[in-house]
Each structure stands twice: as C-alpha cells, then as structure tokens.
C-alpha cells in the first residue's frame, strides 16, 4: 500500500469533521431497514402478478387458438387421408375389372357408382359436332382436348373425350386420320362431369369457345345423353409419338393417377401445431424467483472464474 503523508491525513480529518454533523442526523428509511430477503420476496410477488396477468390476456387467448386450429386441421386431414385411401382402393379395383358393354341408357346414379369402370362402346363418331376444349397443355406443349359425340347402333349418343391434340392441328382438315367415318369400338372409362374452378372462364357455345368440359351444355348441343367417357389410349411410346404427329387424339392412360396429398397436409398441420404449442409454453413459462436467478448468476459466474 502506498504511504500517505501528513497533508493527506489532515485533509481527511477536515472532511470527516465537516460532515460529521450530517452523519449524525442520518436515519435509515423503511425501505432501507427491510431485509434483503424481504425485498426479494416483493420482487417475486410483482413478477408473479405480471405473469398471471399475461396468462389471462387476450394476446394469450389468441396465441392459444393457433395450435388448437392446427391440430384440428391435422385431424381433419387424417380423416380425409383415410377416406382417400379407401376411394383409391375402390377406384383401382374398378380399373382392373374386365371392360363391360355400356348400356344403351345410363342414369346419373349408375355413372357415379361406376366411375373409372372400363366399358366398351360401339358406334360412329359425329365429327361435325366435335368440340375443342382448351387450351390445355401436355408436357408443356399447348393444345386442345377433343370431345366428340359417338352415335350408337340405336341412334343414341354419348360424349367421348377422345384426348389431346397439338394446337397446330386445331383445324380438322390438318388431321384427316382422326376424322374417320367408319364404325369404331372404343374402350373408355366412365367419368362424372368435371367441376370448374373459380379461375375457369365461362364457355361460349355460340362462338365454339369451350374452356371446360361442360357435360350438360355439350350434351344439349349434340342431342346426346349426359354421359362422358374418357377414351383409353394404348400405353406405347411409339403410338403416342405417331398420334401426336398426325393429330390423332391422345387419350387417357390405362392407369390413372389420382392426387393424394392428404398425408403431406396432415404432417404439415400437426408439425405446425407442435411448434406453436412449444412456442406458447415457452412464452408463458412461470418466471424464476429472485433466489433462483441469483443462484443461476452465481453458477454462470463460477464457470468463468
């Protein structure tokens, strides 16, 4: 320690003497008289009150609804997944059954009950009543869907979705191989009328602009039954290339893929529910007491000393 001289000691005595009268008058306040543990207890009480207020706030209620909704949607997707799996099993069973002759008269209930069932239908295409639906793209190339009435042996008509053609072959004169007038036997899937989405423009039959397969209006225009058949195309790469080149419509493949994304949706919603639940629990955890915070600070400080 450095040695202090007499001048320093004299100054210290003068300072103590000048402030002794103030030191004698000083008295501790009530807050200062309280013990250290009492002040810590009061801090804990304030923190707990604030924590309880946060638990009962509208903000917490709003955050609580997020995982509830997420788990609810996840459960709904699980139910949809079960329904879709049963539907796919039923559809696959129908697809692999031997084709049967299509009755001359088909009701709407029979169509719904036998959708994706293979049928045989014999007749002559009425190319004069052909309808082009589109534009539709196939592997990135623009084109159109060809829907043609098929006149059967008793004179009744059904609509046949013959398949896709390239845009350059829109004019029937450019694809004479697809305009044969001889009787044909078509193997096709029974289909229900497809639904339009909100972004599909309205078709205009007067100007022959069809943006979707509108079975009722097409059937009325062609004087046909409201029956839609999807012609099945042979599964051969050579035949597909040949038909695409000469404008012969490329029909539906024998194995139809039906989208089933419910498993991904279920995982997404359940994952979001778990994540938001963890965030909610973390944000609403009860605060540590003052003593616990001090112990934690001492433990952390001890690791660095």
């Amino acid at each position: 320690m450095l040695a202090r001289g007499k001048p320093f000691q004299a100054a210290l005595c003068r300072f103590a003497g000048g402030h002794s009268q103030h030191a004698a008058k000083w008295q501790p306040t009530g807050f200062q008289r309280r013990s250290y543990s009492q002040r810590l207890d009061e801090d804990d009480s304030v923190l707990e009150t604030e924590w309880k207020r946060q638990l009962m706030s509208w903000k917490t209620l709003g955050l609580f609804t997020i995982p509830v909704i997420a788990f609810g949607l996840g459960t709904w997707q699980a139910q949809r997944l079960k329904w879709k799996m049963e539907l796919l099993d039923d559809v696959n069973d129908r697809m692999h059954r031997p084709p049967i002759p299509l009755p001359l008269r088909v009701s709407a209930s029979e169509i719904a009950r036998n959708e994706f069932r293979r049928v045989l239908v014999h007749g002559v295409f009425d190319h004069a009543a052909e309808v082009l639906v589109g534009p539709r793209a196939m592997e990135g190339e623009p084109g159109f869907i060809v829907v043609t009435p098929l006149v059967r042996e008793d004179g009744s008509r059904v609509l046949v979705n013959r398949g896709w053609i390239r845009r350059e072959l829109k004019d029937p004169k450019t694809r004479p191989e697809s305009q044969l007038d001889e009787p044909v036997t078509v193997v096709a899937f029974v289909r229900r009328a497809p639904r339009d989405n909100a972004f599909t423009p309205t078709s205009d039959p007067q100007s022959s602009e069809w943006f979707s397969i509108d079975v009722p209006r097409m059937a009325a225009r062609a004087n046909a039954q409201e029956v839609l058949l999807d012609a099945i195309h042979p599964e051969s790469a050579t035949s597909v290339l040949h038909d695409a080149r000469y404008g012969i419509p490329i029909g539906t493949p024998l194995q139809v893929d039906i989208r089933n994304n419910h498993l991904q949706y279920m995982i997404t919603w359940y994952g979001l529910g778990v994540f938001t639940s963890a965030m909610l629990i973390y944000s609403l955890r009860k605060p540590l007491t003052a003593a616990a915070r001090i112990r934690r600070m001492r433990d952390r400080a001890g690791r660095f000393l």
Side-chain angles (χ1 to χ4, degrees), residues 40-235:
L40 292 181
D41 291 340
E42 291 179 358
D43 292 342
D44 292 341
S45 177
V46 173
L47 290 174
E48 186 171 356
T49 302
E50 180 64 22
W51 173 68
K52 290 181 179 180
R53 186 191 65 80
Q54 184 181 1
L55 285 179
M56 304 303 295
S57 65
W58 287 104
K59 177 182 177 181
T60 301
L61 180 60
L63 293 175
F64 180 75
T65 59
I66 297 177
V68 171
I69 294 175
F71 281 121
L73 290 174
T75 303
W76 176 61
Q77 288 297 332
Q79 296 172 351
R80 294 280 293 175
L81 176 62
K82 180 181 177 181
W83 165 80
K84 198 60 168 287
M85 295 300 294
E86 294 175 352
L87 175 64
L88 291 176
D89 290 341
D90 189 22
V91 168
N92 287 329
D93 178 64
R94 296 178 197 170
M95 285 182 177
H96 291 88
R97 292 179 186 176
I100 59 174
L102 182 71
L104 294 177
R105 295 294 172 182
V106 183
S107 64
S109 60
E110 290 175 327
I111 293 175
R113 188 169 58 252
N114 292 284
E115 188 176 20
F116 289 106
R117 180 72 189 270
R118 285 187 295 167
V119 295
L120 296 172
V121 58
H122 185 76
V124 179
F125 282 117
D126 182 6
H127 298 291
E130 177 183 275
V131 171
L132 298 182
V133 180
R136 294 288 191 275
M138 182 176 181
E139 296 183 356
E141 185 174 358
F144 294 91
I145 297 296
V146 180
V147 179
T148 309
L150 182 72
V151 184
R152 309 181 69 185
E153 50 268 29
D154 68 334
S156 63
R157 295 169 171 240
V158 293
L159 299 175
V160 178
N161 173 9
R162 300 180 63 195
W164 178 88
I165 60 171
R166 293 186 297 155
R167 181 174 57 185
E168 294 80 7
L169 302 175
K170 179 179 179 180
D171 188 352
K173 295 179 181 179
T174 62
R175 43 186 172 89
E177 291 190 18
S178 70
Q179 303 292 303
L180 301 179
D181 295 330
E182 58 192 38
V184 295
T185 299
V186 179
V187 182
F189 288 123
V190 177
R191 293 299 310 273
R192 283 188 289 185
R195 298 179 181 178
D196 295 341
N197 57 45
F199 303 99
T200 303
T202 303
S203 300
D204 185 6
Q206 300 299 328
S207 59
S208 298
E209 291 184 346
W210 297 88
F211 299 101
S212 64
I213 301 179
D214 190 337
V215 174
R217 298 174 72 180
M218 288 183 177
R221 181 176 180 270
N223 192 25
Q225 299 182 62
E226 293 186 10
V227 178
L228 177 64
L229 305 176
D230 280 359
I232 299 174
H233 194 273
E235 294 185 350

Side-chain angles (χ1 to χ4, degrees), residues 8 75 92 144 253-254 262-263 283 290 304:
F8 176 79
T75 303
N92 287 329
F144 294 91
L254 182 60
H262 297 294
L263 178 61
S283 62
F304 293 99

